[in-house]
Amino acid sequence: EADIYQTPRYLVIGTGKKITLECSQTMGHDKMYWYQQDPGMELHLIHYSYGVNSTEKGDLSSESTVSRIRTEHFPLTLESARPSHTSQYLCASSELGGFPTNEKLFFGSGTQLSVL
Amino acid sequence: AQTVTQSQPEMSVQEAETVTLSCTYDTSESNYYLFWYKQPPSRQMILVIRQEAYKQQNATENRFSVNFQKAAKSFSLKISDSQLGDTAMYFCAFMRGLMEYGNKLVFGAGTILRVKS
């Protein structure tokens, strides 16, 4: 069973607030990802990390930032939330060395963010 | 940039019947991989099947097979003898290049498949 957790599950917040979306996994995976998905649309990669102190921007430009100080923890931060940030944010992890044949992503349950 | 399109938001099929999920993609790359992932309610994304773009032969994995049309940039998934456990969200995904460390999956929007008894 996948052990990757995201909190909060739902977040409604006002414009200009700073928010942090939490993501933790207990599987010891080196690779972690943040995806953004609007209803009925594709999952877009916004950040990824291949290990501690390694973070990269994904294919979709995002004003959010991430950090990877510990293997199990990959939080995403928005310094000043805006209505355009309203979306679902999915965190995922996978093992190094699984590429590409056995690439298996483990997803969290997601955070639905609404910025008013 | 690569894009992946799944035009069927939801599909239903009777148990034991066959269903086909559609996927098209857009890329200028010549070397790439295509995947179908299954995401059951447990939320874990599970790899169903993989196709290398340089292979003409369609991949098969037990009851799952693909129809890969490279010129048309089409990559459909056929599920034969559908089972209740096949009920899930199915994502088509693209990955460019060969064994590059920084490669990442680009996903479609997903198709919800419901298998009815």
Side-chain angles (χ1 to χ4, degrees), chain A residues 11-50:
Chain A
L11 179 61
V12 180
I13 201 163
T15 298
K17 300 292 185 182
K18 178 180 179 179
I19 60 169
T20 297
L21 307 185
E22 300 289 348
C23 176
S24 295
Q25 50 94 6
T26 59
M27 297 172 282
H29 288 166
D30 288 303
K31 296 165 75 173
M32 295 191 74
Y33 309 83
W34 276 102
Y35 285 88
Q36 183 176 341
Q37 185 183 30
D38 293 324
M41 302 297 287
E42 304 163 12
L43 278 77
H44 290 289
L45 182 68
I46 53 174
H47 298 283
Y48 64 100
S49 167
Y50 286 126

Side-chain angles (χ1 to χ4, degrees), chain B residues 27-42:
Chain B
T27 184
S28 58
E29 302 280 339
S30 57
N31 293 321
Y32 52 88
Y33 291 85
L34 294 164
F35 305 82
W36 277 98
Y37 275 83
K38 170 185 176 182
Q39 189 180 37
S42 69

Side-chain angles (χ1 to χ4, degrees), chain B residues 71-91:
Chain B
K73 296 180 181 175
S74 171
F75 183 61
S76 60
L77 174 69
K78 185 172 80 171
I79 306 174
S80 304
D81 187 24
S82 297
Q83 300 175 0
L84 295 176
D86 294 335
T87 293
M89 174 81 90
Y90 286 82
F91 289 95

